[in-house]
Amino acid sequence: MKESDSIVIIPTYNEKENIEKIIRAVFGLEKNFHILIIDDGSPDGTADIVKGLMANEFDGRLFIVERSGKLGLGTAYITGFKWALEHKYDYIFEMDADFSHNPNDLPRLYAACHDEGYDLAIGSRYVSGVNVVNWPMGRVLMSYFASKYVRFVTGFKVHDTTAGFKCYRRRVLETIELDKVRFKGYAFQIEMKYTTHKCGFKIKEVPVVFVNRVEGTSKMSGGIFSEALWGVMRLRWDGWFKKYPKIAES
């Protein structure tokens, strides 16, 4: 078994069209990454495809946690974070299964943390313009102005606050009180970045191009963005009054 300092967490629900291809794309990179799939009871057999690959080709590199149903994106990542910390990975990634996040960008996020010393690297759609391909214009505007809204309300300077393509150094996830993370949908992404910032960690946005999925069904909805928008007001309140954990002395 090859060792790796990095684990890519991929939450799945009905991703049978994409899952084997995304796994092979990550494992085809020169940098050695491990992968953890968090599957929320996909009825289409996504988990069975993963377990077949684990048994036949990728034992010791590919792992899966199966959950009983759709429990929310945030809880999927919290489950994955705890698993990754328990298994002593130093760099912990979030990535979608549908190729909207390009696996070829993983080494760039890794380099920002490993080589440049940042604690959180964000694959950012908006740090260098609007780098989104094949999204309906209404969705582009909703996402872009949601991030602008977060910046305005919180004073948080990250351009792509809802991005789900990220690399954390383990000390960030060890510091954040994961069981106290409030949001389960895409507001989770905002809360984690904002908390990382409030704890005093260094953040870098790495420009990436986001491509809308070709296969499978999008899980995005207006309700997801509504949760994110209303949740920002609570984060601003927390920013004034909540005592955030501080970086432990190394």
Side-chain angles (χ1 to χ4, degrees):
M1 180 183 75
K2 290 185 177 180
E3 294 299 323
S4 177
D5 62 355
S6 303
I7 187 89
V8 181
I9 301 171
I10 304 177
T12 56
Y13 183 78
N14 286 349
E15 290 289 356
K16 67 178 183 180
E17 296 93 348
N18 295 304
I19 193 61
E20 180 170 352
K21 288 181 281 188
I22 197 74
I23 288 168
R24 292 190 181 281
V26 173
F27 286 154
L29 298 170
E30 182 176 353
K31 159 71 181 162
N32 179 29
F33 293 95
H34 288 179
I35 298 174
L36 172 64
I37 305 298
I38 309 292
D39 187 73
D40 273 6
S42 297
D44 70 346
T46 297
D48 292 333
I49 295 170
V50 175
K51 288 185 284 189
L53 292 170
M54 290 170 62
N56 297 320
E57 293 186 62
F58 301 122
D59 181 45
R61 298 182 67 193
L62 176 61
F63 309 93
I64 188 169
V65 173
E66 295 181 80
R67 306 200 303 170
S68 59
K70 295 184 72 174
L71 303 176
L73 180 75
T75 65
Y77 275 125
I78 295 296
T79 297
F81 293 159
K82 290 179 177 180
W83 190 99
L85 292 174
E86 180 182 344
H87 290 81
K88 309 300 183 185
Y89 288 94
D90 293 321
Y91 301 93
I92 300 160
F93 293 75
E94 297 182 16
M95 190 174 77
D96 290 347
D98 60 7
F99 285 93
S100 56
H101 303 146
N102 187 340
N104 292 325
D105 289 324
L106 287 168
R108 298 173 59 226
L109 298 180
Y110 175 79
C113 291
H114 180 269
D115 300 338
E116 300 177 43
Y118 288 92
D119 298 299
L120 169 60
I122 301 167
S124 177
R125 298 162 290 186
Y126 306 131
V127 71
S128 59
V130 179
N131 295 313
V132 176
V133 177
N134 292 336
W135 255 11
M137 182 55 65
R139 188 170 165 189
V140 173
L141 293 173
M142 187 184 298
S143 173
Y144 180 76
F145 284 108
S147 284
K148 289 286 190 182
Y149 169 76
V150 174
R151 284 166 58 88
F152 174 75
V153 171
T154 65
F156 185 34
K157 300 306 181 186
V158 165
H159 291 82
D160 194 349
T161 54
T162 62
F165 193 21
K166 297 185 283 185
C167 173
Y168 292 96
R169 293 178 67 183
R170 68 173 289 117
R171 68 176 189 155
V172 177
L173 301 179
E174 288 174 332
T175 300
I176 292 174
E177 297 170 300
L178 296 175
D179 288 331
K180 294 183 180 180
V181 174
R182 180 180 297 109
F183 296 110
K184 294 183 178 181
Y186 274 76
F188 165 83
Q189 301 291 9
I190 302 170
E191 183 178 3
M192 286 295 296
K193 294 181 189 73
Y194 187 67
T195 304
T196 299
H197 163 70
K198 294 296 286 186
C199 288
F201 290 106
K202 295 192 300 179
I203 300 173
K204 179 176 183 178
E205 290 188 85
V206 177
V208 300
V209 175
F210 182 99
V211 180
N212 196 27
R213 69 163 62 234
V214 175
E215 297 183 273
T217 303
S218 174
K219 315 304 187 294
M220 190 67 68
S221 70
I224 284 172
F225 278 103
S226 177
E227 180 209 33
L229 291 173
W230 287 110
V232 169
M233 298 303 296
R234 182 61 184 267
L235 290 178
R236 174 68 277 187
W237 181 265
D238 286 349
W240 283 327
F241 299 107
K242 180 179 176 179
K243 184 176 181 180
Y244 289 86
K246 296 302 180 184
I247 303 170
E249 296 292 334
S250 57

